[in-house]
Amino acid sequence: MKKLFLKAVLVSMFAVSGLSFGADKLYVGTNAEFEPFEYLQNGEIVGFDVDLMEEIAKSMGKEIEWKNIAFDGLLPALQAKKLDVIIAGMTATEERKKFVNFSQTYYESNQMMLVHEKNPVVKSFDELKGHDVGVVLGYTGDIAVSEIEGVKVHRYNATSEAIMALKAQKIDVVVLDSEPAKNYAKQNPELKLINTDVAKEEYAIAVGKNDKELVEDIDKALTELKANGTYDKLIKKYFSEK
Ligand code: GLN
């Protein structure tokens, strides 16, 4: 009886604070326009990250409530404790590490460039200078391009907007993470994909700075999923045409 009461008090405390940590539910934020990691299919959020996180939650005995929000709103929402977890093809950068805890790496990526076949102005990252380059606000592509002097950076709120501008030849190049870039090239034959030698990026799952236990549980689950073949199965499901 006493135990039950304590549980009721704890549950209501979590409810009041808006935190689900310790309860059975995880509020997981993503930005579902990053195929094949997360995207919408018939109104539903699907993708590699979604399946991976569902497996992690399952092995932790938790349920997920998914929140689909703008990419640059994810970290503020985590800090405001409106989210417990972010999985969004998010690169574990040094800057972001100041504000959140990252899990072990679950995918390696790098930046690629897309150009229009009628206007193939660049062949390498060093040639971006002087060109109109589209990036998505707050992405690592934005950070990388913004460091190059003399580039006219066009920042879009969504990848689809940057791609539209490139297709309309309003800009010369789009810089984007490898997998979504490959997808857009596949879906739009007029766009050409150019690999870059820009440093590798590591995707990781983010939790709040103080949620040490949660990140440990996620890491444990990830290690398990990598060891028991589940991770490889998901890689095959989403990246088999590579
Ligand atoms: N990997 C990039 C970043 O972390 C882009 C992530 C995304 O668009 N979902 O900024």
Side-chain angles (χ1 to χ4, degrees):
M1 187 64 190
K2 229 180 183 172
K3 250 189 186 163
L4 254 181
F5 177 71
L6 190 67
K7 195 173 172 199
V9 170
L10 282 176
V11 166
S12 59
M13 266 168 60
F14 286 124
V16 169
S17 70
L19 271 178
S20 64
F21 189 54
D24 291 335
K25 206 183 234 181
L26 282 178
Y27 289 87
V28 180
T30 194
N31 174 236
E33 58 161 281
F34 202 61
E35 194 176 345
F37 294 94
E38 42 269 325
Y39 54 104
L40 291 175
Q41 202 169 62
N42 305 322
E44 212 188 311
I45 309 172
V46 296
F48 178 83
D49 284 352
V50 178
D51 285 4
L52 184 65
M53 195 60 220
E54 287 288 354
E55 290 288 348
I56 291 169
K58 198 163 83 188
S59 80
M60 290 167 59
K62 305 228 179 210
E63 260 183 45
I64 294 181
E65 185 161 329
W66 287 95
K67 302 274 177 202
N68 184 18
I69 60 180
F71 188 80
D72 68 340
L74 286 169
L75 288 173
L78 187 70
Q79 283 178 288
K81 298 197 185 319
K82 289 190 176 121
L83 297 173
D84 300 306
V85 176
I86 298 171
I87 186 162
M90 183 175 273
T91 306
T93 64
E94 290 310 314
E95 185 60 24
R96 290 172 183 159
K97 280 180 195 167
K98 290 182 198 157
F99 307 104
V100 299
N101 257 322
F102 279 110
S103 70
Q104 58 176 281
T105 303
Y106 70 85
Y107 198 86
E108 270 197 4
S109 156
N110 64 301
Q111 295 295 314
M112 288 195 177
M113 300 188 292
L114 287 163
V115 292
H116 197 287
E117 63 178 355
K118 289 195 185 134
N119 183 36
V121 286
V122 290
K123 286 196 185 64
S124 77
F125 215 69
D126 318 329
E127 295 171 9
L128 286 178
K129 198 174 170 178
H131 292 295
D132 289 277
V133 182
V135 294
V136 190
L137 185 73
Y139 278 24
T140 36
D142 180 5
I143 299 163
V145 171
S146 301
E147 279 171 3
I148 312 170
E149 243 178 82
V151 174
K152 284 171 249 161
V153 188
H154 300 250
R155 294 186 181 84
Y156 296 91
N157 285 318
T159 312
S160 51
E161 287 173 28
I163 297 294
M164 240 153 51
L166 181 62
K167 284 170 78 174
Q169 296 186 56
K170 286 186 185 146
I171 52 174
D172 303 316
V173 187
V174 166
V175 173
L176 187 62
D177 291 43
S178 51
E179 298 308 326
K182 285 182 204 164
N183 258 306
Y184 280 109
K186 217 177 343 172
Q187 289 160 9
N188 302 279
E190 71 272 43
L191 300 185
K192 296 273 159 266
L193 186 66
I194 301 163
N195 206 341
T196 76
D197 44 12
V198 174
K200 288 254 176 296
E201 297 185 13
E202 297 178 340
Y203 294 174
I205 298 167
V207 307
K209 199 73 190 153
N210 300 319
D211 287 347
K212 295 251 158 34
E213 212 176 304
L214 180 56
V215 81
E216 279 168 21
D217 288 347
I218 289 174
D219 271 336
K220 211 173 116 214
L222 257 173
T223 302
E224 227 172 78
L225 296 171
K226 283 178 182 173
N228 72 13
T230 309
Y231 176 87
D232 287 341
K233 218 160 62 194
L234 293 182
I235 289 283
K236 227 185 236 153
K237 176 174 170 190
Y238 288 99
F239 304 99
S240 55
E241 289 148 296
K242 258 208 289 184

